[in-house]
Amino acid sequence: MPRLFQYCPQVVFSSSFGIWTLLALLTKWLGGWKVVIAYEGSSPGVDYRNSALRLALRRAMVWVADACITNSHAGQKYLIDCLGAPPELTFVQPYEVPDRRSLSEVNEALEWVAPGQPLRFSDLKRPVFLFVGSVVPRKGVACLLEACKLLKNAGSREFGVLLVGDGPQREDLQTFTQQHQLEDCVIWVGRVSYGDIGSYFHHADVFVLPTLEDTWGMVVLEAMLLGKAVLCSTGAGAAELVLEGENGYRFPPDNPQVLAAAMQRLIENPDQLAEMGQRSQDIMAHYSPQKAGEFLSRVAVMVMGGESA
């Protein structure tokens, strides 16, 4: 707070409804700044719809704030319908977006070690489905593995799955992979450096996010930016950017049957993948870091008394 008073900004963009947002709001008249609440997106784990106390506090914070922004329409609906934010002061546009430069490095020599043998990208069966994230129950990796089991039981074996990430659920899910003889198609990569993530995107055909809930899901935008078809759970806010049948498919959270059907559709029609990937890039052309910066600038000008955002 001393640094904030020392800098004395005209506008403060504060994330969500934590203590820092509360402090910025309580001191806005003293500091003479405007406060814009940035709410990443809506999901059950962060909305607290069943907590009267939290909702009351959030409604008071929204009432004091000068505007609200959010990445998703679901977030906008929560701010307006649940918290009473004025519609004319609640703006929706993806402002958390990736920069291609951070994902541009591709290492063709990358390899990882599976039980007993080294594998290279060229060894993978196609199409390759990629998951990147923490291996925790909320991310829905179990749903993806269940879908793989359903595909294999139905006789579909010509596909590969790369699981990039680590977490407390990994050991149990690796045991599931072994029990259902999925090692020939499922590769556990484990944790990798962020600088290598672009290589895995590059060599994959389809990105899969089976999350049970995510307020946004930046990794979906990263996959789209790099021209990938996307299978995304409707539990992710970023699912709004997946246009059914155009750049991928959406499926209900924790529904391996629907996910397996979507994967099978792409396995049987690999010619769709390039077209879907191009559609992903076309969509992301509207959500660059530059456009996000322009959006934030318009909101700042508006709350300072300029033209509407």
Side-chain angles (χ1 to χ4, degrees):
M1 292 305 295
R3 290 190 179 186
L4 188 61
F5 278 104
Q6 182 180 10
Y7 181 63
C8 205
Q10 292 172 289
V11 180
V12 175
F13 286 86
S14 191
S15 178
S16 195
F17 294 96
I19 185 63
W20 301 116
T21 301
L22 183 59
L23 288 172
L25 290 168
L26 289 173
T27 57
K28 62 175 288 193
W29 290 280
L30 184 62
W33 50 69
K34 307 289 186 180
V35 178
V36 179
I37 296 176
Y39 194 63
E40 187 175 68
S42 173
S43 75
V46 299
D47 284 351
Y48 294 105
R49 295 173 187 257
N50 296 324
S51 173
L53 181 60
R54 284 183 181 267
L55 287 178
L57 178 60
R58 290 185 173 192
R59 286 168 183 151
M61 293 169 75
V62 163
W63 181 76
V64 176
D66 297 278
C68 296
I69 62 171
T70 181
N71 288 298
S72 69
H73 289 92
Q76 184 186 43
K77 182 175 174 61
Y78 170 76
L79 289 167
I80 294 173
D81 293 351
C82 291
L83 303 186
E88 68 277 10
L89 296 176
T90 306
F91 306 102
V92 55
Q93 178 171 318
Y95 57 87
E96 293 180 327
V97 296
D99 188 333
R100 180 184 292 275
R101 291 172 296 182
S102 65
L103 299 163
S104 59
E105 186 174 340
V106 176
N107 186 352
E108 298 289 350
L110 273 180
E111 64 178 39
W112 61 95
V113 178
Q117 69 177 92
L119 294 175
R120 291 181 174 84
F121 289 116
S122 58
D123 297 323
L124 295 169
K125 298 177 182 178
R126 298 284 173 176
V128 174
F129 296 88
L130 172 69
F131 166 85
V132 176
S134 301
V135 186
V136 295
R138 179 175 62 83
K139 289 294 183 178
V141 182
C143 175
L144 175 55
L145 293 178
E146 284 284 355
C148 292
K149 183 185 79 171
L150 292 172
L151 289 171
K152 185 171 183 179
N153 290 344
S156 183
R157 286 177 165 77
E158 291 305 311
F159 68 95
V161 176
L162 288 176
L163 299 174
V164 177
D166 204 353
Q169 200 182 21
R170 177 175 173 176
E171 185 176 345
D172 289 342
L173 294 183
Q174 280 187 296
T175 299
F176 178 92
T177 303
Q178 296 162 0
Q179 290 174 341
H180 296 280
Q181 293 81 51
L182 298 175
E183 297 98 326
D184 58 334
C185 61
V186 175
I187 305 297
W188 288 88
V189 178
R191 189 185 304 276
V192 303
S193 67
Y194 188 76
D196 288 332
I197 291 292
S199 298
Y200 291 95
F201 277 121
H202 176 75
H203 289 284
D205 300 298
V206 184
F207 180 75
V208 186
L209 182 63
T211 183
L212 303 184
E213 63 168 292
D214 260 300
T215 52
W216 187 223
M218 176 74 85
V219 70
V220 171
L221 282 76
E222 292 175 333
M224 291 173 60
L225 183 65
L226 296 179
K228 301 303 169 183
V230 176
L231 300 179
C232 185
S233 155
T234 53
E240 295 181 0
L241 301 182
V242 179
L243 306 182
E244 193 74 9
E246 293 188 30
N247 69 315
Y249 297 98
R250 292 175 288 186
F251 58 93
D254 200 20
N255 194 322
Q257 291 81 10
V258 179
L259 174 55
M263 293 173 70
Q264 184 64 41
R265 205 173 295 138
L266 297 179
I267 292 169
E268 293 176 350
N269 300 281
D271 294 342
Q272 292 182 350
L273 295 175
E275 185 177 344
M276 285 185 164
Q278 183 58 57
R279 185 72 178 104
S280 284
Q281 289 185 317
D282 293 343
I283 293 169
M284 285 304 298
H286 300 286
Y287 306 117
S288 66
Q290 180 180 356
K291 291 185 182 299
E294 291 169 354
F295 165 66
L296 297 177
S297 178
R298 291 196 304 270
V299 173
V301 169
M302 185 275 298
V303 298
M304 288 190 295
E307 295 180 2
S308 172

